Amino acid sequence: MDTSAFFDHLGTAFAGDPQTSDPLDPRWTRIATDVAGYTGPNELAVLNAAAALLPEHEAYLEVGTFKGRSLVGAVAGNEGKKFYAMENFLEFGMAGQEARAELEDNLRTYAASADIALLEGDCFTLMAQPGAVDAPVGVYFYDGEHTLLSHYLALAAVEPLLADEALVLVDDATWPVVQRAHRIFLRRHPGWSVAATWDAAHADDPRWSNGLHALVFRRTGRRTRMSRVDEGLRIYQTRVQDRLNHAAWAVADRFPGITKRVAAVVMGRSRAIGDDDH
Ligand SMILES: C[S@@+](CC[C@H](N)C(=O)[O-])C[C@H]1O[C@@H](n2cnc3c(N)ncnc32)[C@H](O)[C@@H]1O
């Protein structure tokens, strides 16, 4: 993926500076209105522009599809490109389970001609499964679980799958927890840089939701496997943390009120934006 071409081309999708202006194409606002989800119109414009520039033989990978808003935005008009989407339908309790039917419906309505492989399961397991994604990933969009470890692994686990040059877009990146994970990861991994930051002015900003950061990866060596430390962290996440997450969502389903209050305290600071007090 020619990431410089992407940044040069991106301006043509917006009326002015993407940070502070609306996308020119009204489709992104329409999708953000019609398809339930968590990504803003400016984010959809960026995802779509990135997918449009994918070279032949490279693929687009999304983690965290929910009901399909970001995927529908990315695939629009991008027939002929290959898309992979990973979703475990775990978050949001029962609503997460219901998301599957709504996702399938949305893909039928808005993305019938797109080439999408929907991979159901835990992304950190799927990404390490040989052949699950069988083309170099030129564009990667991460919108899955938002803990420090999962954001670190979101980069570590995908690195072996990336093309030699790749664009990596991370949602909710205005949250301190995401930026901290990126700082820790980038200190330990050559070839990565933060290329653009479209931050949210406040939680659920109508253009940028909770912020989108663009990272660029350029492979510097021949290594195509995770380091031992990163692999250890991945194993912890998939064998221990994933089970704890399942248990926590089961509790959240039974006691939604208490869980919401506990979550607000636990996640408050790591997800605070600007003057938000939550
Ligand atoms: C915020 S939602 C995604 C929103 C979506 N991109 C949109 O545009 O509306 C996050 C999704 O990530 C999924 N998810 C969280 N952790 C995951 C994991 N480890 N593997 C796969 N999917 C995961 C959740 O089930 C949830 O549906």
Side-chain angles (χ1 to χ4, degrees), residues 36-39 44 62-71 86-92 121-124 141-146 171-172 237 242:
Y38 293 94
T39 31
L44 300 182
E62 164 176 288
V63 166
T65 300
F66 191 50
K67 298 181 177 179
R69 183 190 287 181
S70 47
L71 188 57
M86 296 179 178
E87 170 59 59
N88 63 1
F89 299 107
L90 176 62
E91 288 185 1
F92 311 112
D122 169 56
C123 64
F124 303 116
F141 174 54
Y142 181 83
D143 192 12
E145 186 187 48
H146 301 296
D171 199 20
D172 300 295
Q237 171 74 25
D242 191 50

Side-chain angles (χ1 to χ4, degrees), residues 206-252:
R207 287 194 174 108
W208 294 103
S209 195
N210 293 313
L212 182 71
H213 286 190
L215 285 75
V216 165
F217 171 69
R218 289 191 181 86
R219 200 174 299 287
T220 52
R222 288 166 52 89
R223 196 153 67 113
T224 50
R225 296 168 68 160
M226 293 174 79
S227 70
R228 272 213 212 157
V229 171
D230 289 354
E231 178 58 12
L233 291 170
R234 192 191 70 80
I235 287 171
Y236 167 80
Q237 171 74 25
T238 54
R239 304 219 179 129
V240 180
Q241 192 59 51
D242 191 50
R243 282 183 199 157
L244 295 174
N245 292 352
H246 275 83
W249 280 108
V251 171

Side-chain angles (χ1 to χ4, degrees), residues 113-125:
S113 50
D115 182 358
I116 300 171
L118 178 60
L119 307 178
E120 184 170 341
D122 169 56
C123 64
F124 303 116
T125 303

Side-chain angles (χ1 to χ4, degrees), residues 61-249:
L61 170 61
E62 164 176 288
V63 166
T65 300
F66 191 50
K67 298 181 177 179
R69 183 190 287 181
S70 47
L71 188 57
V72 163
V75 304
N78 286 325
E79 292 79 15
K81 316 272 179 187
K82 178 75 198 179
F83 293 85
Y84 291 90
M86 296 179 178
E87 170 59 59
N88 63 1
F89 299 107
L90 176 62
E91 288 185 1
F92 311 112
M94 281 317 291
Q97 289 308 308
E98 287 156 16
R100 183 189 286 107
E102 227 175 295
L103 169 62
E104 283 166 6
D105 203 35
N106 285 329
L107 294 183
R108 264 193 303 276
T109 308
Y110 300 98
S113 50
D115 182 358
I116 300 171
L118 178 60
L119 307 178
E120 184 170 341
D122 169 56
C123 64
F124 303 116
T125 303
L126 288 167
M127 284 196 260
Q129 215 166 278
V133 175
D134 63 2
V137 174
V139 179
Y140 171 58
F141 174 54
Y142 181 83
D143 192 12
E145 186 187 48
H146 301 296
T147 63
L148 185 67
L149 178 57
S150 56
H151 270 279
Y152 178 96
L153 286 174
L155 305 185
V158 84
E159 191 183 299
L161 301 179
L162 292 177
D164 288 346
E165 180 175 353
L167 179 69
V168 171
L169 298 159
V170 181
D171 199 20
D172 300 295
T174 305
W175 286 344
V177 65
V178 179
Q179 295 181 26
R180 184 152 173 251
H182 288 177
R183 277 195 301 277
I184 295 170
F185 180 85
L186 263 63
R187 271 204 300 271
R188 291 168 168 73
H189 297 79
W192 288 81
S193 58
V194 178
T197 55
W198 299 289
D199 277 312
H202 49 78
D204 304 320
D205 180 300
R207 287 194 174 108
W208 294 103
S209 195
N210 293 313
L212 182 71
H213 286 190
L215 285 75
V216 165
F217 171 69
R218 289 191 181 86
R219 200 174 299 287
T220 52
R222 288 166 52 89
R223 196 153 67 113
T224 50
R225 296 168 68 160
M226 293 174 79
S227 70
R228 272 213 212 157
V229 171
D230 289 354
E231 178 58 12
L233 291 170
R234 192 191 70 80
I235 287 171
Y236 167 80
Q237 171 74 25
T238 54
R239 304 219 179 129
V240 180
Q241 192 59 51
D242 191 50
R243 282 183 199 157
L244 295 174
N245 292 352
H246 275 83
W249 280 108

